[in-house]
Amino acid sequence: MPVTHNHVAKVIAIDGPSGSGKSTIAKELAHALNVLYIDTGAMFRALAFIADEKKIILKEGFALNEFLSSLKIEYKLSDSVLIRVNGQDLTERIREHHVSGLASIISQLPSVRKYLLDFQRSLALDKICVMEGRDIGTVVFPDSFCKFFITASVDIRAERRLKQLRENGDTTITLSQIIEDVRLRDETDMNRSVAPLKKAEDALLLDTSNLELKDVIHILSNETKFRAAHLGFNL
Ligand code: DC
């Protein structure tokens, strides 16, 4: 069970589609508030990477359950190691382009979601944190005291993704391919039967298409501090 304070979890839930800027925002917000940052997408990516490496068929069944029970995930071991699975540092590898598609597929499997749900809840047990994903405000911590749903237009999100891939040395993929990928991934993430990507009713919606990062952080950190003060805990 999540730790609660007056029946609220001390988790700042940040959800939204890929490329909305939510990862940068979540990281910066955690830094500004001096609290732990938890990137749940990295967990789906890490599982997808290992499953692919071990040639696990991505569907429910005995093999998948065996695979899940063979895993040891370690999150945020140091500033430079974000995620390790069975001793393998996957911090860099999970950002490879092919992993995005595999992560989207693996994240539709109920047993994978259940496995990571327990892990995600366990990470936030005793501390205030910013947790970023697709279903944090709706499923993982529906009782979180502060929820944000971050979005941006498809074109802007694709341009941001292209820039990121170019920075990581990928020169092959084109903008139109990425726009197609972004659309497809949204479609899958929003229409899967388990924990689909959707805004929690009580989440604050923020479209970052025309906003500067520093302004977004300003809005989010003020809102978070205001709510925390209202509930009687300090940030
Ligand atoms: O945020 P990201 O692109 O690193 O996420 C990778 C994939 O994992 C993406 O297809 C959505 C999925 N995901 C999810 O289903 N639930 C989460 N809480 C986080 C990510």
Side-chain angles (χ1 to χ4, degrees), residues 14-19 22-23 39-45 94-95 99-108 113 116 120 131-136 140 161 185 188-189 192 194-197:
I14 301 199
D15 292 305
S18 52
K22 71 179 163 29
S23 297
D39 171 3
T40 61
M43 300 167 193
F44 286 95
R45 286 171 178 271
I94 57 170
R95 303 296 163 201
V99 180
S100 301
L102 293 171
S104 186
I105 296 170
I106 210 171
S107 68
Q108 296 172 54
R113 298 211 72 89
L116 285 180
Q120 288 153 10
M131 190 177 284
E132 175 226 326
R134 300 291 190 289
D135 60 340
I136 311 306
V140 186
R161 179 86 188 116
R185 196 126 57 93
T188 328
D189 289 349
R192 65 173 174 235
V194 191
L197 167 67

Side-chain angles (χ1 to χ4, degrees), residues 52-71:
D52 185 48
E53 203 176 53
K54 290 186 181 287
K55 309 253 178 300
I56 303 291
I57 298 169
L58 299 182
K59 62 176 204 198
E60 290 295 341
F62 181 73
L64 183 71
N65 283 329
E66 285 282 286
F67 166 69
L68 291 174
S69 56
S70 74
L71 299 175

Side-chain angles (χ1 to χ4, degrees), residues 54-210:
K54 290 186 181 287
K55 309 253 178 300
I56 303 291
I57 298 169
L58 299 182
K59 62 176 204 198
E60 290 295 341
F62 181 73
L64 183 71
N65 283 329
E66 285 282 286
F67 166 69
L68 291 174
S69 56
S70 74
L71 299 175
K72 178 174 180 244
I73 308 187
E74 293 165 286
Y75 185 80
K76 207 52 130 339
L77 291 173
S78 68
D79 283 348
S80 61
V81 181
L82 180 74
I83 193 152
R84 212 157 72 169
V85 179
N86 295 349
Q88 191 179 350
D89 179 4
L90 298 176
T91 310
E92 307 280 331
R93 312 275 339 243
I94 57 170
R95 303 296 163 201
E96 289 172 14
H97 186 64
H98 78 284
V99 180
S100 301
L102 293 171
S104 186
I105 296 170
I106 210 171
S107 68
Q108 296 172 54
L109 302 170
S111 56
V112 171
R113 298 211 72 89
K114 168 79 178 78
Y115 176 85
L116 285 180
L117 177 73
D118 294 342
F119 182 66
Q120 288 153 10
R121 285 186 176 159
S122 74
L123 284 179
L125 266 188
D126 53 352
K127 6 181 150 53
I128 303 178
C129 65
V130 172
M131 190 177 284
E132 175 226 326
R134 300 291 190 289
D135 60 340
I136 311 306
T138 50
V139 176
V140 186
F141 285 103
D143 55 351
S144 66
F145 79 103
C146 204
K147 302 178 184 179
F148 300 108
F149 193 88
I150 311 288
T151 189
S153 70
V154 168
D155 287 359
I156 296 261
R157 286 160 50 207
E159 278 167 24
R160 288 175 181 164
R161 179 86 188 116
L162 182 71
K163 186 163 172 267
Q164 206 177 39
L165 286 168
R166 293 285 187 265
E167 280 167 8
N168 290 345
D170 189 330
T171 52
T172 51
I173 192 147
T174 65
L175 182 62
S176 56
Q177 274 172 300
I178 296 181
I179 291 178
E180 203 40 49
D181 277 5
V182 167
R183 289 221 169 90
L184 194 71
R185 196 126 57 93
D186 280 1
E187 179 81 11
T188 328
D189 289 349
M190 289 189 293
N191 293 310
R192 65 173 174 235
S193 51
V194 191
L197 167 67
K198 71 165 196 270
K199 180 186 157 308
E201 269 181 26
D202 52 348
L204 202 100
L205 177 72
L206 206 73
D207 186 322
T208 65
S209 302
N210 299 307

